[in-house]
Amino acid sequence: ELIVYPVKFISEVVTQIAFPAFARLRGQAGPLIEQFIAFTRQNLAMVTPFVALVFVEADDLISVFVPKGEGGALAVRIFCFAAMLRGLSHIFPPLLDGLGFPGLTVVYTTIATVLLPAAFVAFAYVLGDLGFVSVAIAWSVAYPIAFAALAWLGLQKLDLPATTYVRRVIGLPLCGLVATVP
């Protein structure tokens, strides 16, 4: 909750205007791709500093907001990786919906709905506990798989190679990563 909800709220600034923009650009490949990249960068520009701050200040944030959350700072730091992907994932459903493929958004949601609880159970079993750390590890292992499915669905509809997409948007997350190094 310390990271998921704020990332969602931050991302909604971009995603609320994304659907109509994508729907308006449907059929215009070049402008559509450029708008998608722009929305991705805008979202990353807002999410990355927040996630970097939470990563660096996890101990203090846990002590203030979750005083009984002993050991939670490690879980928060582990979860920061998944949180960055969650920030990116908010751009894809408006894209798919705006292009006329809402069923693909349902496919992604179904994948995440099955995969994440299964990972929670598996990691709780393997680690012997359904505590903060096992949940964070489950998120950080399972969510990239769900995100990869979502990204594949979206990038395929844009006819945008994943390498091109990553190359065009990776700068901000890399800066955030560098900013967290002591």
Side-chain angles (χ1 to χ4, degrees), residues 131-155:
F132 295 129
V133 174
S134 69
V135 170
I137 292 171
W139 261 99
S140 295
V141 170
Y143 191 73
I145 297 167
F147 175 78
L150 176 63
W152 181 79
L153 292 168
L155 296 176

Side-chain angles (χ1 to χ4, degrees), residues 68-151:
K68 295 181 182 180
E70 189 175 316
L74 174 60
V76 167
R77 286 188 176 104
I78 292 169
F79 192 77
C80 283
F81 170 69
M84 286 300 296
L85 293 180
R86 286 288 291 159
L88 282 175
S89 74
H90 289 287
I91 302 296
F92 285 93
L95 170 71
L96 293 170
D97 297 350
L99 293 178
F101 300 104
L104 296 180
T105 299
V106 173
V107 168
Y108 154 70
T109 304
T110 303
I111 290 169
T113 300
V114 170
L115 192 58
L116 285 162
F120 297 151
V121 170
F123 279 94
Y125 178 77
V126 168
L127 298 175
D129 177 18
L130 187 60
F132 295 129
V133 174
S134 69
V135 170
I137 292 171
W139 261 99
S140 295
V141 170
Y143 191 73
I145 297 167
F147 175 78
L150 176 63

